[in-house]
Amino acid sequence: MARIGVFICHCGENIASTVDCGKVAEISSKIPGVVFSTDYKYMCSDPGQTLIKDAIKKYKLTGVVVGACSPRMHEPTFRKVVASEGINPFFCEMANIREHCSWVHPKGEETTQKAADTIRILVEKVRNNEPLYPIKVPVTKRALVIGGGIAGIQASLDIANAGNEVILIEKEPSIGGHMAQLSETFPTLDCSQCILTPRMVEVAQHPNITLMSYSEVESLEGFIGNFKATIRKKARFINEELCNGCGDCTLKCPIKKIPDEFNAEMGKRPAIYVPFPQAVPNKPVIDKDNCTHFKNGKCQFCKTNCSAGAIDFDQQDQLITVDVGAIVVATGFTIKGTDFFPEYGYGKYKDVVTGLQFERLLSSSGPTLGEVRRPSDGKVPKKVVFIACAGSRDPAKGIEYCSKICCMYTAKHAMLYKHKVPDGEADIFYMDIRAGGKNYEEFVRRAVEEDDVNYIRGRVSKVYEKNGKLIVRGVDTLLNSTPVEIEADMVVLATASVAHSDAESLAQKLHISYDSYNFFSEAHPKLRPVETNTAGITLAGACQAPKDIPESVAQASAAASKTIALFSQDLLTREPIIAVSNKSTCVGCFLCQSVCPYLAIEREEIKDRNGNIIKTVASINSGLCQGCGTCVAFCRSKSIDLQGYTNNQVFSEVSALFERSEEYV
Amino acid sequence: MKIGYFPGCSLHGTAPEYEASLKLVAKAADIELVEIEDWNCCGATAAHSMNRMLSIALPARNLAIAEKMGLEEVVVPCAACYSRLLFALNEFKLDEKVRMNLQPIIETEFKGNIKILNVLDFLEKYVMDALKNKVDDKFKKKAACYYGCLLVRPPKLTNSERWDDPLRMEAILKKIGIDSIDWSFKTECCGAGLSIARTDIVGKLSGKIIEDAKDRGADMIVTACPMCQSNLDMRRGAINNYLKKDNNIPAIFITQLIGLAFGYSEKDMQFDKLFVPISFSNNNFSNNNDNLKMQKSKVKEVKV
């Protein structure tokens, strides 16, 4: 026979001002099985907890119902109290009489009655509770980091430095990401490659890091601590063991006019190429689509000129399966091209470029070796117009968010341009200047005051070509909406930062959620900004939302620390709120398998003594199950139950609600 | 085949050459245009800034009459009328309040099943096929296709793709051997309704359009809207004032060109109604200055 104690909390005035807590305690005492009932001002306080402990001892309680706030607040607190007295913590339930009652109803008898009813149904639940025990799962102490930009590099180094193995995969031939493409970085104007390349080398040389460039995630199975990832290592047609990175092959390649991705298509590269001189690994890759050998088999210049004999035209994609315990997703972002803007000519004007392209023109490793020369005729532009918020913050373009980095990099671009072309003029059209960040506002002021960058507050309606000039037509909203027309030599669009085109398919492979813009979603926007809703998978950098370098690095270190904390345990403890299947009643329809969002349901063959299969039933993987209960609702033979919320428990709560007799009023 | 036809005030007023050419083009494609009986003003420019229900009821009455006449489609050659009729039909479909309140105002039943075609829709749907083998060397001229504002915008209403840089007129003209220039002023404002009140503004806005078309080597501006055409053609006085030079690039309706391709004469197409002269006859494309001088007195007459 259950011996249940009921403890009603006043929560100061929060509950007591609308609910008569004393009366609720009194009504509760009449429920069969309740042997003790009381109320107290702050049940979560130390004296409140002691009160519960003493009552458990004195009345030999077997279950506890606390009528207080949301279980999200204090369920762990009270379960710990109960456990300390030797009772299975799952015999402690919280009745939410604050958020669900006192906060949302006026003071009155009905409110008190609702509180009493809420307590009563929870007492019924406790009566039907069963002891549950935490689930232990082992941990593979090896992390998979997806994406070798600055976020992925930082996360890999942090995890590896803590003594764990890391597999870093990068879909491009080299790690480095967008940061490797930048000239200088705001707000200090230090050279981007100079601060990045030491980190890249560190990754390459770290004994705990296995770098797999030119590789992508093919599929992912498993659960926290026990993932199994299949990685596609794309054929680069180079034997990486033999290649010594001399670069002779790239010089001999007769195809030389392929738009260079690293230079944002501002330069040209051969069909066999290393993306940039500091590439890690410093091994070339053959662009199969543009290689003469792969087109018609006629050319083997690179092969005949390779002294190391490293060219291997027969190389195939490899599928490699690895066991990992945690995953950091750091796949970054991309930007919209100029062809996204009909009003600026659908990308048809050569001298209208994106911010990333301008970055390459400023960079000393870029196609112009750091001289600002416009793409159409190679002349030095004397008037450059920068357009901020190109696409961003524009519902008509379908991109309603702020891309966050553009205000700062546009100020940087204008500043660097003025440093390189002192007699040139830089105009910036902007909506607002968002320079929130350490030393950011000062940086923008410096652009205005020291470098004479002309800021015009207003939008640009049109860019068109006339007599070799680009006419930028806009409005100055600080001067009474005066129309402005500027004859520019070059226009730079701070185009919106967006998710990669394959972000959605990657999210589906990893079973993580993503938002309407295909940025990956964090578990909680404020309190769990690094984790995803899938345990064991964390996010770093701009794959979650547009971010600058310091933010990406900070988040990468945070993701690494979550991973390291996970790896500090030998066994993982999980709440046992998961589904369990009854294998004797399961009919094996596997409807549950098709609806499970976490792929937690497996097929299990039941065999007789002779090893013959009698039937195939659903078996729930306790490591993967998140306890959502979808399978329970779908099960036609009622063979699946959610531990802690069994059908029996829920029905007893519901029937208790409708069996209110006189004495409970 | 019969298709409804809503001329609006322009085609019975300032743009008779548009009406004449459209009707003959339709005839050549075996289509009879049936004018909506007792039609009224579409409400353009004034009604929609004054009273929403009026701006819906005026065009809706025309559509309701067309429906009653058993017409399934109606061609609306004026871009302003087209926009207003499309707007009214859209509001009628989306807004239940409009559906409930409309009938007592227009005193006719309206189901909203009618389809509205602008001139480009009409040409694409019914005339394009008849233009096979109509390529003619006399048309070897560069056109600047000018759409103006309301033929393609607002995109949510017109369902246009590339509303900043449409390519539909170009495709139609290609059928008769006219190549078009790539330019940035296809959907600029011509000054439209300010034609009478602020001719100076029309001069500036239309002037920019004319200047760019000429700078890019166009021989003529081709339009599909009577407002655009009248501003670009008739307001040369104000335009030349703004540009501080005379410009002889003609502005012509697309239907006039298509009509020529079907073998009608320039007289049939009422080329004489154009202020800035143009002629394709005897392979002697003329829009030269002598002609312009001849016409200059005419230009001065209408200058405000």
Side-chain angles (χ1 to χ4, degrees):
Chain A
M1 182 65 191
R3 296 175 63 81
I4 297 165
V6 175
F7 301 87
I8 310 297
C9 178
H10 293 200
C11 197
E13 284 288 292
N14 276 305
I15 297 172
S17 65
T18 51
V19 170
D20 183 345
C21 295
K23 196 176 176 202
V24 174
E26 188 199 322
I27 295 171
S28 304
S29 69
K30 296 176 196 164
I31 308 168
V34 173
V35 294
F36 177 72
S37 170
T38 187
D39 59 310
Y40 186 69
K41 194 158 188 181
Y42 288 109
M43 208 56 89
C44 59
S45 68
D46 234 25
Q49 295 185 29
T50 312
L51 186 137
I52 299 175
K53 285 183 195 170
D54 290 346
I56 293 174
K57 279 186 218 130
K58 189 171 175 191
Y59 297 97
K60 298 192 168 53
L61 301 180
T62 58
V64 164
V65 174
V66 183
C69 53
S70 161
R72 295 197 76 135
M73 288 286 295
H74 275 304
E75 194 178 71
T77 314
F78 294 117
R79 286 200 164 156
K80 227 175 253 171
V81 170
V82 171
S84 74
E85 289 304 313
I87 304 176
N88 185 290
F90 292 90
F91 282 103
C92 170
E93 293 287 352
M94 284 191 76
N96 185 353
I97 59 169
R98 191 178 75 175
E99 283 87 339
H100 287 180
C101 190
S102 70
W103 275 1
V104 291
H105 298 304
K107 182 175 183 171
E109 277 183 22
E110 283 180 318
T111 307
T112 301
Q113 183 63 54
K114 181 175 173 185
D117 288 342
T118 313
I119 301 290
R120 196 158 44 78
I121 60 176
L122 264 300
V123 169
E124 281 314 310
K125 182 168 184 231
V126 172
R127 209 194 296 283
N128 287 290
N129 276 6
E130 279 176 20
L132 298 176
Y133 302 95
I135 299 164
K136 302 274 186 192
V137 280
V139 185
T140 307
K141 294 184 182 179
R142 185 186 299 122
L144 175 68
V145 178
I146 307 170
I150 184 58
I153 290 173
Q154 183 69 34
S156 301
L157 289 173
D158 285 353
I159 297 169
N161 285 338
N164 303 296
E165 280 182 55
V166 174
I167 296 168
L168 172 60
I169 66 170
E170 165 60 50
K171 73 172 171 184
E172 300 296 334
S174 167
I175 59 170
H178 281 119
M179 192 176 166
Q181 293 176 284
L182 307 183
S183 54
E184 270 84 35
T185 54
F186 59 79
T188 44
L189 294 189
D190 43 355
C191 153
S192 183
Q193 289 201 331
C194 311
I195 54 177
L196 175 70
T197 46
R199 297 290 177 97
M200 290 164 62
V201 173
E202 206 182 330
V203 165
Q205 295 176 344
H206 204 294
N208 285 347
I209 299 179
T210 309
L211 173 60
M212 292 171 71
S213 63
Y214 215 44
S215 303
E216 289 181 58
V217 175
E218 184 76 7
S219 65
L220 182 76
E221 289 166 32
F223 52 93
I224 181 170
N226 299 276
F227 292 108
K228 203 177 268 297
T230 307
I231 295 161
R232 177 177 291 274
K233 194 170 188 306
K234 294 180 279 189
R236 63 199 302 155
F237 307 106
I238 305 292
N239 185 329
E240 286 176 80
E241 311 256 297
L242 296 176
C243 175
N244 55 19
C246 69
D248 281 350
C249 52
T250 61
L251 299 175
K252 301 289 180 192
C253 180
I255 310 277
K256 295 198 187 302
K257 297 231 162 145
I258 304 161
D260 184 356
E261 296 87 354
F262 180 76
N263 279 324
E265 317 211 322
M266 300 291 279
K268 303 274 187 258
R269 64 159 172 82
I272 180 166
Y273 68 105
V274 180
F276 54 104
Q278 303 92 327
V280 172
N282 187 19
K283 315 268 168 169
V285 56
I286 295 178
D287 173 359
K288 195 177 171 182
D289 297 335
N290 288 304
C291 169
T292 316
H293 176 78
F294 282 103
K295 276 183 182 162
N296 54 29
K298 280 186 181 153
C299 173
Q300 291 209 352
F301 269 121
C302 50
K303 192 167 184 174
T304 45
N305 283 292
C306 179
S307 54
I311 310 282
D312 177 6
F313 288 119
D314 299 324
Q315 209 174 57
Q316 301 290 325
D317 286 8
Q318 275 177 284
L319 289 178
I320 298 165
T321 305
V322 290
D323 288 319
V324 292
I327 295 166
V328 179
V329 186
T331 48
F333 69 106
T334 186
I335 57 161
K336 281 281 181 196
T338 50
D339 55 351
F340 184 62
F341 299 94
E343 63 272 41
Y344 308 148
Y346 281 113
K348 72 182 165 194
Y349 307 125
K350 277 188 175 169
D351 295 329
V352 178
V353 299
T354 65
L356 197 58
Q357 289 174 323
F358 196 67
E359 199 78 52
R360 293 311 300 151
L361 291 181
L362 292 170
S363 171
S364 53
S365 71
T368 56
L369 303 176
E371 280 184 59
V372 182
R373 292 184 177 278
R374 62 183 202 170
S376 62
D377 54 9
K379 284 187 186 151
V380 176
K382 293 293 177 192
K383 180 98 174 167
V384 180
V385 172
F386 297 87
I387 303 175
C389 298
S392 311
R393 301 178 68 193
D394 191 349
K397 288 259 182 287
I399 301 172
E400 293 186 46
Y401 56 84
C402 165
S403 289
K404 204 169 182 180
I405 52 176
C406 327
C407 283
M408 292 308 296
Y409 79 60
T410 299
K412 178 191 78 178
H413 284 169
M415 211 186 252
L416 291 174
Y417 164 69
K418 290 283 286 186
H419 292 174
K420 296 196 179 214
V421 188
D423 61 335
E425 284 178 58
D427 292 344
I428 299 180
F429 280 94
Y430 71 102
M431 281 202 224
D432 302 288
I433 299 294
R434 296 187 164 178
K438 196 172 178 180
N439 294 324
Y440 283 12
E441 178 63 23
E442 297 91 317
F443 183 78
V444 175
R445 293 314 307 168
R446 198 176 131 196
V448 176
E449 286 162 14
E450 288 178 26
D451 291 307
D452 287 332
V453 175
N454 180 28
Y455 274 81
I456 305 165
R457 186 181 180 279
R459 304 281 281 148
V460 171
S461 65
K462 193 181 187 88
V463 174
Y464 62 96
E465 209 165 16
K466 190 177 169 185
N467 304 330
K469 292 274 186 187
L470 289 164
I471 312 295
V472 181
R473 186 193 290 172
V475 64
D476 188 336
T477 54
L478 293 182
L479 288 177
N480 202 15
S481 298
T482 318
V484 185
E485 278 201 357
I486 297 175
E487 283 189 11
D489 298 320
M490 201 171 167
V491 175
V492 182
L493 307 180
T495 57
S497 303
V498 293
H500 281 293
S501 57
D502 57 355
E504 191 177 10
S505 78
L506 180 66
Q508 286 168 356
K509 278 179 197 163
L510 301 177
H511 315 296
I512 59 176
S513 43
Y514 51 96
D515 65 18
S516 54
Y517 303 111
N518 291 349
F519 286 120
F520 304 141
S521 302
E522 62 283 353
H524 188 282
K526 292 163 192 97
L527 300 178
R528 295 174 70 197
V530 177
E531 296 126 293
T532 64
N533 270 325
T534 306
I537 303 185
T538 47
L539 303 174
C543 61
Q544 180 197 15
K547 283 195 187 74
D548 59 16
I549 296 168
E551 268 188 294
S552 298
V553 171
Q555 198 190 11
S557 285
S561 84
K562 291 281 171 199
T563 308
I564 297 164
L566 174 68
F567 289 172
S568 69
Q569 300 155 279
D570 290 321
L571 289 172
L572 294 179
T573 306
R574 293 194 56 223
E575 278 251 300
I577 308 300
I578 55 161
V580 285
S581 65
N582 183 339
K583 285 163 193 166
S584 41
T585 55
C586 175
V587 295
C589 71
F590 293 104
L591 202 55
C592 52
Q593 198 178 33
S594 59
V595 297
C596 177
Y598 303 99
L599 306 181
I601 297 175
E602 293 154 4
R603 288 166 180 262
E604 185 183 328
E605 291 170 347
I606 310 259
K607 294 174 182 165
D608 66 9
R609 283 181 195 170
N610 302 326
N612 301 320
I613 299 164
I614 306 169
K615 65 173 182 174
T616 311
V617 295
S619 163
I620 290 149
N621 183 317
S622 58
L624 282 177
C625 177
Q626 301 289 317
C628 70
T630 310
C631 55
V632 180
F634 271 85
C635 182
R636 297 189 287 195
S637 60
K638 297 199 186 332
S639 302
I640 308 185
D641 237 344
L642 188 63
Q643 289 194 146
Y645 296 90
T646 61
N647 285 343
N648 190 19
Q649 287 168 331
V650 176
F651 286 136
S652 66
E653 286 185 54
V654 175
S655 34
L657 184 61
F658 293 105
E659 284 166 7
R660 187 208 285 164
S661 64
E662 292 292 311
E663 53 189 315
Y664 303 139
V665 178
Chain B
M1 185 177 177
K2 285 183 182 179
I3 291 180
Y5 167 54
F6 178 79
C9 55
S10 293
L11 276 82
H12 280 195
T14 55
E17 69 272 41
Y18 194 15
E19 178 171 57
S21 56
L22 175 67
K23 281 193 168 165
L24 287 176
V25 165
K27 198 177 158 195
D30 261 345
I31 303 231
E32 188 190 338
L33 294 181
V34 185
E35 190 164 322
I36 296 173
E37 289 160 10
D38 189 32
W39 57 266
N40 57 263
C41 171
C42 70
T45 66
H48 63 103
S49 47
M50 308 293 285
N51 181 325
R52 175 168 174 264
M53 201 57 209
L54 179 66
S55 76
I56 296 167
L58 282 170
R61 181 178 173 275
N62 296 317
L63 293 172
I65 296 171
E67 262 185 16
K68 218 180 215 174
M69 290 166 69
L71 299 164
E72 286 172 9
E73 290 179 315
V74 56
V75 187
V76 188
C78 168
C81 298
Y82 166 68
S83 179
R84 292 329 301 166
L85 264 63
L86 204 59
F87 169 80
L89 183 62
N90 195 52
E91 292 296 296
F92 178 83
K93 282 180 179 165
L94 294 181
D95 191 340
E96 202 186 325
K97 259 191 197 159
V98 168
R99 285 199 291 279
M100 276 160 48
N101 297 332
L102 187 67
Q103 198 156 324
I105 301 174
I106 63 171
E107 295 174 346
T108 335
E109 197 195 358
F110 182 44
K111 293 195 191 76
N113 293 330
I114 197 152
K115 282 202 183 76
I116 299 169
L117 305 178
N118 63 36
V119 117
L120 300 184
D121 296 333
F122 172 73
L123 293 176
E124 282 169 359
K125 192 166 176 185
Y126 296 108
V127 183
M128 275 282 247
D129 289 343
L131 284 177
K132 264 182 200 159
N133 309 322
K134 296 286 183 206
V135 177
D136 191 330
D137 270 358
K138 73 177 173 191
F139 289 131
K140 272 213 160 173
K141 300 293 166 224
K142 288 268 181 213
C145 295
Y146 176 70
Y147 295 78
C149 47
L150 293 173
L151 207 55
V152 284
R153 283 184 291 213
K156 273 184 189 159
L157 211 54
T158 60
N159 281 327
S160 349
E161 290 168 15
R162 292 181 69 100
W163 60 89
D164 282 84
D165 182 26
L167 294 169
R168 297 172 67 187
M169 270 200 237
E170 282 84 343
I172 298 169
L173 291 181
K174 187 91 195 151
K175 284 263 174 188
I176 58 169
I178 300 182
D179 286 329
S180 306
I181 58 160
D182 181 18
W183 64 320
S184 304
F185 282 71
K186 288 180 191 180
T187 59
E188 285 296 293
C189 178
C190 66
L194 294 173
S195 189
I196 290 160
R198 289 292 301 272
T199 322
D200 56 326
I201 293 181
V202 172
K204 183 179 168 185
L205 295 173
S206 290
K208 287 185 172 184
I209 295 165
I210 292 211
E211 190 186 25
D212 195 66
K214 211 167 154 55
D215 286 352
R216 283 173 195 282
D219 298 312
M220 58 188 162
I221 298 176
V222 182
T223 71
C225 167
M227 299 289 283
C228 301
Q229 197 273 342
S230 76
N231 276 337
L232 293 176
D233 183 38
M234 184 174 77
R235 292 301 180 202
R236 283 303 160 96
I239 289 167
N240 293 346
N241 258 355
Y242 170 75
L243 295 175
K244 297 196 172 61
K245 62 178 173 193
D246 288 352
N247 284 282
N248 54 4
I249 180 169
I252 187 170
F253 287 107
I254 187 167
T255 45
Q256 289 178 291
L257 293 172
I258 305 286
L260 281 194
F262 275 124
Y264 295 111
S265 69
E266 292 183 356
K267 200 172 170 220
D268 294 335
M269 291 296 110
Q270 302 195 2
F271 273 41
D272 55 327
K273 292 281 195 305
L274 300 170
F275 284 87
V276 182
I278 174 172
S279 173
F280 294 92
S281 58
N282 305 324
N283 204 10
N284 175 26
F285 183 80
S286 73
N287 55 358
N288 56 45
N289 281 328
D290 295 341
N291 269 338
L292 188 73
K293 271 172 203 155
M294 260 164 53
Q295 299 280 339
K296 247 192 171 174
S297 53
K298 215 172 179 182
V299 172
K300 272 178 191 157
E301 266 170 38
V302 292
K303 190 178 153 191
V304 178

